[in-house]
Amino acid sequence: AKGSQRRAVEALPAFVMCRREAESEGAARSALVAARRAAATGDPGAVLDAVRSAGTPQATVTGVRLRGVEGRALREQNRFAKSAQAYEASADLALRIGWLHGAAVALHEIGLGAAKRTKWVVSLEAWDRLATVYELLDDKPGVASALCNLGTSHKKLEQHPQALAAYERALPLARQAGNRAGVAIILNHLGEVSDDLGHHARALSLQEESCALFEELEDWTGVADALRGMGHVHTSMGDFARALTCYERSLHVREKLGAGDGIASLLASIGWSHRQIGQYGEAVASYERLLALEETSRNRAGIARALAGLGSVLVDLGAYTKALPLLERALATREELKDPV
C-alpha cells in the first residue's frame, strides 16, 4: 500500500497542475485570489469574507488552500480553536486528493499552534501524523523535525519513554541529512529526557556532545541551554559543585548575549547549588538578585520562588526572625496563585 502511495506522490506535480487549470476560472479560485490580496493588506476580516464567498471548500487544490488561508486569518484574530478546525479541514481535504505536501503544511500549522497554546495532546497527534506524511514523501529532514517536535510534546506530557523513542528516531535522520544544528538540538533533548528517566551518565554524555556541537556552530543560546542541562544532570547526581560551575557558565553566556530569557531560572539553580554546598552568603546574594529581577518583571510566581529560597537559606543560617516574614510572604503569594507549596 505504501508503494502505491509513493507512486501517486511521484505523479503529484502534474496532477496538481491539472487541478489548478480545471479550477482556474471557478468561483473558488476567484475567492482564493481575493483572500490572498486581503491577507497581503493585513485584513483578516476581509480574508474570511472572501473565503465565505466561495461556499463550502471542496476536495480540490483550491479548497485546500482556501482552508489554509482561513486558518491563518482566524489565528490572526486569536480565534485559535476555529483556526485549528480550518487547518484540520485543509489537511483532510489534501489527503483526500492525495496532495501530501498540502497536508504537511496544514499539519505543521496545527502542531505549531497547539504547542504555542500548550495543547500538548493536540500537538502530539499533529506531529505524529506529519511524521507519517513526510515518511511517505521520503523527506528525511521533515521526518526528523516532526519526530523532534513529537518528542517535545511527549516530554511536556511527562511521557518520557515515548519522548526518548521519538528523539532517538529523529537523531540518525538529522545526522544523515547533515543538519548539524538539528543534531545539537536533538542531543540536548535526549539528554534532558535521559536525565528524567534516571540515566544520568548517558544524559551527561549527550549534553556534553550537544554543547560541543553548539560551540562549533557558534550557537551561544544553544551552548547556554546545554550547559544548563549539564547542570541539571550534575544536580540529579548530587554533584552540586559541578552543577554550580555549569549554571554559572550558562548564566555568563546568557548575560553576554543580553538575553533575559532563562536568567531567572539560572539564578534559582545557582542559589540552590550554593546552599547545598554550604555557601550561604553566595546563596543569599543569588536569591536577592532573583527577587529583584522577578519584582521588576512583576512575576508573582517567580517572586514566591525567590522569597522561599531566600527564607530557606536564612533558616539554615539560624536567622529565624528575618526568615519568617519572607516565608510567610512566599506562602501567601502561592496561595493567591493557587500554587501548591
Side-chain angles (χ1 to χ4, degrees):
K2 187 175 283 190
S4 64
Q5 286 173 302
R6 281 209 172 92
R7 285 193 293 274
V9 171
E10 290 171 0
L12 185 58
F15 168 76
V16 171
M17 291 307 298
C18 289
R19 285 277 186 173
R20 287 193 63 181
E21 289 170 6
E23 300 163 15
S24 61
E25 301 302 323
R29 183 67 186 167
S30 298
L32 178 60
V33 171
R36 284 176 168 170
R37 285 176 180 163
T41 66
D43 187 348
V47 172
L48 296 175
D49 288 340
V51 170
R52 282 192 286 268
S53 73
T56 303
Q58 303 300 307
T60 63
V61 172
T62 299
V64 171
R65 289 176 170 153
L66 275 169
R67 281 300 197 193
V69 170
E70 180 185 19
R72 190 174 303 110
L74 288 165
R75 184 177 61 200
E76 290 173 1
Q77 292 183 336
N78 296 325
R79 297 163 65 186
F80 299 113
K82 291 289 186 181
S83 174
Q85 291 174 7
Y87 279 124
E88 184 67 43
S90 180
D92 289 344
L93 291 173
L95 290 171
R96 282 172 59 187
I97 62 173
W99 187 18
L100 297 188
H101 282 292
V105 170
L107 289 169
H108 183 270
E109 293 294 343
I110 294 169
L112 201 61
K116 286 182 178 178
R117 293 182 295 124
T118 67
K119 303 292 185 181
W120 299 113
V121 173
V122 176
S123 69
L124 188 152
E125 293 171 351
W127 299 130
D128 191 32
R129 291 171 66 193
L130 182 58
T132 300
V133 169
Y134 278 135
E135 284 175 348
L136 291 169
L137 290 167
D138 199 25
D139 182 343
K140 288 183 174 59
V143 175
S145 177
L147 287 172
C148 185
N149 287 320
L150 176 64
T152 299
S153 295
H154 278 302
K155 187 174 186 297
K156 293 293 186 179
L157 291 167
E158 298 186 358
Q159 298 171 349
H160 300 305
Q162 296 94 322
L164 187 72
Y167 290 136
E168 286 180 331
R169 284 178 62 197
L171 183 59
L173 294 172
R175 290 192 193 278
Q176 290 170 24
N179 181 3
R180 299 177 74 214
V183 169
I185 291 168
I186 295 168
L187 287 168
N188 183 262
H189 288 317
L190 271 171
E192 291 174 348
V193 176
S194 296
D195 188 38
D196 291 334
L197 289 169
H199 306 152
H200 304 311
R202 185 186 183 218
L204 186 59
S205 175
L206 290 163
Q207 293 287 15
E208 288 173 342
E209 185 180 354
S210 173
C211 188
L213 187 50
F214 277 130
E215 285 180 344
E216 290 177 20
L217 296 169
E218 298 186 353
D219 180 343
W220 304 115
T221 299
V223 169
D225 288 343
L227 285 168
R228 181 189 59 199
M230 291 162 61
H232 291 340
V233 177
H234 283 304
T235 296
S236 298
M237 298 171 72
D239 192 341
F240 300 109
R242 283 196 172 92
L244 177 61
T245 298
C246 291
Y247 291 139
E248 288 180 332
R249 287 177 61 197
S250 179
L251 178 63
H252 178 68
V253 172
R254 286 202 174 276
E255 287 177 333
K256 283 186 68 176
L257 290 171
D261 182 46
I263 286 181
S265 177
L266 284 166
L267 286 171
S269 296
I270 289 168
W272 169 261
S273 300
H274 277 303
R275 183 185 174 203
Q276 296 307 304
I277 58 181
Q279 296 176 346
Y280 298 117
E282 292 86 344
V284 167
S286 294
Y287 282 122
E288 285 179 338
R289 184 180 170 192
L290 173 61
L291 180 59
L293 181 66
E294 299 290 27
E295 286 180 333
T296 299
S297 62
R298 298 182 179 179
N299 178 7
R300 298 179 70 202
I303 290 170
R305 174 176 61 174
L307 288 167
L310 184 55
S312 297
V313 177
L314 292 173
V315 168
D316 293 338
L317 289 169
Y320 304 117
T321 303
K322 291 182 179 179
L324 183 59
L326 295 172
L327 294 172
E328 287 176 338
R329 278 184 62 198
L331 181 61
T333 304
R334 284 175 167 171
E335 287 179 344
E336 290 171 7
L337 294 169
K338 297 182 179 179
D339 182 22
V341 177

